[in-house]
């Protein structure tokens, strides 16, 4: 059944006329996935090579998580499910927002298959607005700084894009305080499952 779902996602054309490229949905998951990365949308590079987070954002994210590329792309550890599955196109200051059709069409179907899920990492405002809805704080900074309020299910973080350098310059606490706690959480999940 999970292979059928992946095939249906791969063949999805729901946004075909609204995208700059031919649709190429990019997701990663297995029934054994322990940690779900709920991201924004693939960039152009991810669209071109079919690999999520194969860019500077991905390098930053893997560093924040404290994992290797091998661990990151192991679908028995990490599932990757963006808010929009295809590259939405470029805007004036970066990529356009993720398409809104994907989440209601596919997210619940994928979540039903993640039978061993222990943590959902909500990256950026789009996933946080969708999944935290009325429980989030007034802005992303407050939501991220109060991440403990959303555990054990969710761990909200800022987007790892290098374009966020101004935010990081103003919010050094993220890398000093939040990232080590995120790394500890990830390491404990991986270690626990390595023993099984």
């Amino acid at each position: 059944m999970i292979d059928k779902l992946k095939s249906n996602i791969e063949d999805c054309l729901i946004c075909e006329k609204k995208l700059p490229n031919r649709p190429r949905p990019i997701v990663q998951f297995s029934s054994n996935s322990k940690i779900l990365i709920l991201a924004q949308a693939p960039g152009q590079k991810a669209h071109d090579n079919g690999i999520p987070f194969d860019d500077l954002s991905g390098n930053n994210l893997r560093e924040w998580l404290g994992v290797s590329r091998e661990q990151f792309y192991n679908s028995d550890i990490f599932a990757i499910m963006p808010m929009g599955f295809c590259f939405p196109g470029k805007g004036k200051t970066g990529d356009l927002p993720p398409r809104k059709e994907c989440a209601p069409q596919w997210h619940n179907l994928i979540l039903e298959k993640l039978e061993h899920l222990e943590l959902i990492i909500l990256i950026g405002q789009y996933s946080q607005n969708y999944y935290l809805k009325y429980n989030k704080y007034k802005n992303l900074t407050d939501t991220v700084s109060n991440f403990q309020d959303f555990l054990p299910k969710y761990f909200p973080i800022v987007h790892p894009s290098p374009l966020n350098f101004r935010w990081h310059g103003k919010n050094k606490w993220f890398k000093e305080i939040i990232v080590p706690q995120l790394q500890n959480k990830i390491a404990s999940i991986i270690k626990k499952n390595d023993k099984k």
Side-chain angles (χ1 to χ4, degrees):
M1 289 295 287
I2 202 165
D3 289 336
K4 176 65 173 171
L5 175 58
K6 288 181 177 180
S7 178
N8 289 343
I9 292 170
E10 192 175 308
D11 294 339
C12 181
L13 298 173
I14 195 169
C15 302
E16 184 175 22
K17 295 179 180 176
K18 301 170 184 174
L19 296 171
N21 307 307
R22 176 165 172 74
R24 187 180 192 181
I26 297 175
V27 295
Q28 169 182 301
F29 62 94
S30 80
S31 60
N32 294 318
S33 300
K34 313 298 184 300
I35 303 159
L36 171 61
I37 295 172
L38 233 161
Q40 187 167 312
Q44 182 67 60
K45 185 175 179 184
H47 172 86
D48 292 342
N49 63 24
I51 302 172
F53 283 106
D54 188 27
D55 54 16
L56 292 175
S57 293
N59 293 342
N60 288 338
L61 180 58
R62 284 182 286 275
E63 182 181 328
W64 295 353
L65 298 172
V67 298
S68 66
R69 281 182 66 90
E70 182 182 17
Q71 290 172 312
F72 186 77
Y73 291 114
N74 180 346
S75 62
D76 285 345
I77 301 174
F78 287 101
I80 301 172
M81 180 174 75
M83 293 303 297
F85 288 5
C86 296
F87 171 59
K90 284 284 185 190
K92 290 182 179 178
T93 59
D95 292 350
L96 291 172
R99 297 295 317 170
K100 294 182 178 179
E101 294 87 347
C102 297
Q105 177 75 22
W106 299 113
H107 279 201
N108 284 340
L109 295 173
I110 293 174
L111 286 167
E112 288 171 5
K113 303 297 183 191
L114 306 183
E115 301 169 4
H116 303 283
L117 193 61
E118 297 184 38
L119 182 67
I120 299 174
I121 300 171
L122 298 173
I123 297 179
Q125 65 174 330
Y126 296 105
S127 63
Q128 290 166 24
N129 288 345
Y130 192 86
Y131 278 89
L132 301 181
K133 292 185 172 60
Y134 304 111
N135 295 324
K136 65 185 179 62
Y137 285 79
K138 64 180 179 180
N139 58 44
L140 178 140
T141 301
D142 287 350
T143 299
V144 171
S145 65
N146 290 284
F147 74 94
Q148 294 101 329
D149 292 351
F150 307 102
L151 291 172
K153 186 173 183 178
Y154 297 116
F155 199 126
I157 64 172
V158 67
H159 196 282
S161 169
L163 296 176
N164 274 346
F165 67 92
R166 287 190 183 87
W167 187 92
H168 287 289
K170 295 177 182 177
N171 299 282
K172 296 186 184 300
W173 50 265
F174 177 76
K175 289 183 181 176
E176 294 169 357
I177 298 170
I178 309 294
V179 166
Q181 295 186 68
L182 176 62
Q183 291 176 346
N184 288 339
K185 184 77 175 165
I186 299 300
S188 68
I189 292 171
I190 293 174
K191 186 176 181 180
K192 179 176 71 175
N193 287 284
D194 281 346
K195 292 178 180 177
K196 292 181 179 179

